[in-house]
Amino acid sequence: MARSKPTDSPAPSGNAGRGPAAGRGRSSGAAAGATAVSKIKAGRSAKVGKDGQPKVGRLKKVGNQVRLIKQAYTLTRKNDPRLPWLMLIAFVVVAGVIELLAILFGAPFLFIPIAVVLGLMAAMIVFGRRAQGSAYRQVEGQPGAAAWVLEGMRGDWRVSAGVAGTAQLDSVHRVLGRPGVVLVAEGSPARVRSLLAQEKKRIARVVGDTPIYDIVVGEEEGQVPLRKLSTHVMKLPRNLSAGEVNTLGRRLAALGGPRPPVPGGPLPGGRQMSVSQRQVRRR
């Protein structure tokens, strides 16, 4: 009896059978490797600073600073039209003096770079002084101007704005630093004196023998002008160490932050005061 041949073709053997699977494995492995390399490169490029934010490149920092200087120059020039001429005069005078000295020493071309650099520095100094004065003139007399100046001081100064105030927008700001505790009041002198006395008494219970300075911002006798406030505070004697400032900061934190003033008199609409409102008003 004759045997019939099988109708199904046999499966390919050897490399022919393993070819497609092997090709897919190599392609998937290559893709996974490329993905891993890209992740490593992304991790290396995205560096994080101490504050947890991504670091900014040096070129980007320089660009941001140039942009800020340009904005400050534009704003200052609007309020001070003489600014460009004063900067030009400062540059010409300083650079001219340096070049004159160079001619006397017999090396006029050698000192040209130095004359240009010093002239630019003089122009930038004039720009900084005029910009600061213009900013002070804009905020002078406005509520919160003293807090704005205090928060811009360089160094380890811990400013708590508006720790006491009145409904007439008089306010007292607390500054903690190496000199001790500095209370800065702005507003009507007749009203802020009582505010200063109350805040000084409240803080003395916490800080003990730590020096407490009180300053009233204004143009009258015994007051400190707004444009000289930061210089006056920074010139106070250093009475505390860095560790004592940290300890004192934790104590003052228990007093809380800003306290909005509660106007006197009955509440509108004939409503009654709650217990918390009565406690705030007693303070």
Side-chain angles (χ1 to χ4, degrees):
M1 196 173 169
R3 295 181 180 177
S4 60
K5 295 182 179 180
T7 57
D8 297 337
S9 59
S13 60
N15 294 333
R18 292 192 299 268
R24 286 195 298 269
R26 284 195 298 269
S27 61
S28 60
T35 305
V37 171
S38 62
K39 289 182 178 180
I40 293 174
K41 289 182 177 180
R44 290 178 180 176
S45 60
K47 296 181 179 179
V48 180
K50 295 181 179 179
D51 55 354
Q53 301 295 331
K55 288 186 177 180
V56 182
R58 293 183 180 180
L59 293 178
K60 192 172 182 180
K61 287 183 179 179
V62 173
N64 293 336
Q65 292 177 356
V66 171
R67 195 178 302 109
L68 291 176
I69 292 174
K70 185 178 179 180
Q71 292 176 357
Y73 176 81
T74 303
L75 294 175
T76 307
R77 187 179 178 182
K78 290 180 180 179
N79 301 316
D80 189 2
R82 297 183 300 172
L83 177 64
W85 297 106
L86 293 175
M87 294 177 63
L88 180 61
I89 291 172
F91 174 82
V92 171
V93 169
V94 174
V97 171
I98 299 300
E99 192 61 22
L100 180 61
L101 294 176
I103 293 173
L104 294 177
F105 283 104
F109 300 102
L110 184 63
F111 282 79
I112 288 179
I114 299 177
V116 172
V117 171
L118 293 180
L120 290 175
M121 290 178 60
M124 292 303 296
I125 291 174
V126 172
F127 165 65
R129 295 289 179 86
R130 303 291 292 191
Q132 187 178 27
S134 177
Y136 284 154
R137 286 191 297 271
Q138 291 181 20
V139 302
E140 193 169 8
Q142 298 183 10
W148 174 76
V149 173
L150 295 171
E151 290 173 351
M153 293 191 305
R154 297 187 302 271
D156 186 14
W157 300 95
R158 308 175 188 186
V159 181
S160 299
V163 293
T166 64
Q168 292 78 21
L169 300 182
D170 307 313
S171 56
V172 176
H173 315 295
R174 185 178 69 225
V175 183
L176 174 61
R178 297 290 293 275
V181 180
V182 184
L183 298 178
V184 181
E186 57 178 339
S188 173
R191 292 191 295 263
V192 298
R193 288 295 179 184
S194 60
L195 280 179
L196 279 174
Q198 294 175 6
E199 189 64 21
K200 194 171 184 178
K201 184 178 180 181
R202 189 171 74 102
I203 292 177
R205 302 171 183 171
V206 178
V207 300
D209 297 333
T210 303
I212 303 176
Y213 301 90
D214 57 280
I215 300 173
V216 178
V217 178
E219 298 291 338
E220 299 179 3
E221 185 179 357
Q223 300 178 353
V224 179
L226 183 66
R227 61 184 179 276
K228 298 181 180 179
L229 177 60
S230 60
T231 305
H232 181 85
V233 174
M234 295 177 71
K235 285 185 177 180
L236 293 175
R238 302 296 187 259
N239 302 311
L240 304 178
S241 64
E244 291 173 338
V245 171
N246 294 331
T247 303
L248 200 58
R250 290 190 291 269
R251 293 181 184 176
L252 291 176
L255 296 177
R259 294 181 298 162
V262 178
L267 294 177
R271 291 178 296 175
Q272 298 294 328
M273 294 179 62
S274 63
V275 176
S276 59
Q277 289 174 331
R278 293 193 188 98
Q279 292 176 350
V280 171
R281 179 171 288 185
R282 290 194 192 101
R283 294 178 183 175

